Amino acid sequence: MKASRIASRVAAAAAVAGSAVLALSAPAFAHVSVAAEGSAAKGGYAVVDFKVPNERDNASTTKLEVTFPTDHPLASALPEPINGWTIVVTKAKLAKPLTVHGKQISEAVSKITWTATGKGIEAGFFQKFPVSVGALPEDADELVFKAIQTYSNKEVVRWIEVQEDGAEEPENPAPVLALTAATEDGHHGTSAEAASDESEDAKEAAATTVAASDSDSSDTTARVLGVVGIVVGAAGVAYGVLAGRRRTTTTEA
């Protein structure tokens, strides 16, 4: 009996502990976040997704505002059209112009706002908001985007708290995009050149193959003709020998 009671108490304690872990970990999965589709290499361009989960059972997410970093401004930010949402891109003048591909940029994207034209993100669902951004800074390891999520019941959640080194995760952390090391060529756009080079290599290889094929064909034809000549010559010799024998036999008779 005592063993049974102890086992029951242990099971109950484990269940409570498990519930507590779930309760503590649940918010971590409900944050507004940002991640690259593939990689976000320094100095290049990337498509990033702002992922917005709906945390309420009695309201839908009807608006998302994402503020872009001012310490590392992005000259280009092109949102992908999404059915059921209007998109407004706001730009601001830069105190210090940026130089992108040899051109000076005097303004950068400061904010993008998505507003639902219908129900928005309903309870139990999430939505991704893709944006093509660049050129990404070469002197940073991450970019912080502050987001504001608005619900249909007018509730506003501000995902704007910056994670401090060594500190616990804040209650409403701002989305953070991790940047990867620059590629060997240093920037984007070289894939087309590589593809062109590969295409030229393919053409040269094809030309070489055709030439080799023609050469092989010529060699084969020459060999066939040579064999035919030998056969014909041998047939002629045989015919001559037989004809000589017939003549000899006729003379003797």
Side-chain angles (χ1 to χ4, degrees):
M1 291 296 291
K2 289 183 179 181
S4 177
R5 290 177 182 177
I6 293 174
S8 298
R9 291 175 182 175
V10 170
V16 171
S19 300
V21 170
L22 290 175
L24 290 173
S25 61
F29 293 100
H31 295 166
V32 172
S33 60
V34 61
E37 294 182 4
S39 63
K42 298 178 181 180
Y45 285 71
V47 175
V48 300
D49 295 326
F50 292 95
K51 183 179 178 182
V52 182
N54 189 75
E55 296 182 295
R56 304 294 180 263
D57 295 330
N58 59 348
S60 299
T61 295
T62 56
K63 188 176 182 180
L64 173 68
E65 299 171 80
V66 175
T67 300
F68 279 57
T70 56
D71 54 343
H72 296 288
L74 300 174
S76 175
L78 304 175
E80 180 178 318
I82 302 176
N83 291 333
W85 296 82
T86 60
I87 306 172
V88 176
V89 178
T90 304
K91 293 186 177 182
K93 292 289 184 179
L94 296 174
K96 182 180 180 182
L98 293 174
T99 301
V100 181
H101 303 303
K103 297 181 180 180
Q104 280 200 336
I105 307 298
S106 59
E107 63 178 14
V109 175
S110 59
K111 183 171 68 173
I112 298 182
T113 303
W114 291 266
T115 304
T117 57
K119 294 182 179 179
I121 309 172
E122 299 185 80
F125 292 89
F126 73 90
Q127 176 78 50
K128 287 184 178 181
F129 299 87
V131 183
S132 174
V133 297
L136 298 172
E138 298 181 359
D139 57 349
D141 295 324
E142 62 183 24
L143 293 177
V144 178
F145 298 85
K146 296 183 179 182
I148 298 178
Q149 182 179 12
T150 302
Y151 288 90
S152 56
N153 60 2
K154 308 303 179 183
E155 180 187 0
V156 176
V157 181
R158 301 178 183 276
W159 304 96
I160 62 174
E161 298 178 55
V162 179
Q163 174 73 53
E164 300 293 341
D165 293 338
E168 294 183 0
E169 183 181 43
E171 184 177 354
N172 294 313
V176 177
L177 176 67
L179 303 182
T180 60
T183 56
E184 292 182 1
D185 48 45
H187 296 286
H188 74 292
T190 56
S191 57
E193 298 175 2
S196 177
D197 292 341
E198 290 178 1
S199 177
E200 292 300 325
D201 291 342
K203 289 180 181 178
E204 292 179 5
T208 302
T209 301
V210 171
S213 177
D214 291 343
S215 177
D216 292 343
S217 177
S218 299
D219 292 343
T220 301
T221 302
R223 290 173 183 173
V224 170
L225 291 177
V227 171
V228 170
I230 292 172
V231 171
V232 171
V237 172
Y239 178 78
V241 171
L242 290 174
R245 289 181 179 180
R246 288 179 181 176
R247 289 174 184 174
T248 303
T249 302
T250 303
T251 303
E252 292 177 354

